[in-house]
Amino acid sequence: MAELDTLIPEEASLQETLKQVTDMLGHEKDITPLSLDDNRLLRTKLDELHPADVAFILESLPVSQRLIVWDLVKAERDGEILLEVSDSVRESLIKSMDSEELLHAAETLDTDEIADLAPDLPRDVMVELIDSLDAQNRARLQ
């Protein structure tokens, strides 16, 4: 029962964070540009969240807002968050990233995680990624 008690405040906190994010962004049809202060605040809040919690927020937002928030996520966290989001959200996020961003995101992951992400990555990114791996990791990935 104590475990359930600890989950409820975390869930409520995540819902509150989602509400704060949507309030900062405005309505989907009338997205408010973020002020520098809001931009910093939102980036800091995202940095403090577990990748699964960032994934929850991204999945809860309409595409236009999702991409704004995704741009605020630190690049070194992209890979671990891409693993946490649903397939359809992952697809929309990957489409918004260039090859260099995708390569950097994948390079932060271990071989097993890259294998999970591989089917969603563009072929040219996978070729570069495989070429960048040492022989042992390349063999594990293939």
Side-chain angles (χ1 to χ4, degrees):
M1 190 65 153
E3 189 174 285
L4 181 60
D5 291 341
T6 60
L7 291 177
I8 294 171
E10 290 174 15
E11 192 174 308
S13 176
L14 189 54
Q15 288 293 333
E16 180 58 32
T17 300
L18 175 60
K19 182 176 179 343
Q20 290 170 355
V21 169
T22 56
D23 288 348
M24 281 186 226
L25 293 171
H27 299 290
E28 181 183 2
K29 294 178 182 171
D30 182 32
I31 296 175
T32 308
L34 292 175
S35 69
L36 287 176
D37 287 340
D38 283 347
N39 194 321
R40 263 187 245 121
L41 177 67
L42 185 50
R43 186 179 300 264
T44 300
K45 192 167 282 292
L46 292 168
D47 290 347
E48 294 170 354
L49 294 174
H50 185 277
D53 294 337
V54 175
F56 170 80
I57 288 172
L58 291 168
E59 290 175 344
S60 301
L61 296 171
V63 175
S64 56
Q65 291 180 339
R66 179 183 307 143
L67 295 178
I68 291 169
V69 172
W70 181 240
D71 285 341
L72 295 174
V73 172
K74 284 187 176 175
E76 60 267 11
R77 298 188 69 207
D78 286 353
E80 60 188 3
I81 294 168
L82 284 172
L83 290 171
E84 295 287 343
V85 295
S86 66
D87 292 343
S88 61
V89 170
R90 182 180 309 121
E91 184 179 321
S92 71
L93 297 176
I94 287 174
K95 282 182 181 178
S96 75
M97 299 170 75
D98 63 32
S99 294
E100 188 176 313
E101 289 172 309
L102 287 168
L103 189 59
H104 178 72
E107 287 174 340
T108 65
L109 303 173
D110 66 34
T111 308
D112 293 339
E113 293 170 328
I114 293 171
D116 291 340
L117 196 57
D120 298 318
L121 295 175
R123 182 169 168 66
D124 61 320
V125 172
M126 277 307 301
V127 169
E128 271 190 75
L129 185 58
I130 289 170
D131 288 345
S132 73
L133 296 173
D134 61 42
Q136 181 181 3
N137 283 328
R138 189 177 309 129
R140 283 184 66 203
L141 181 59
Q142 291 175 338

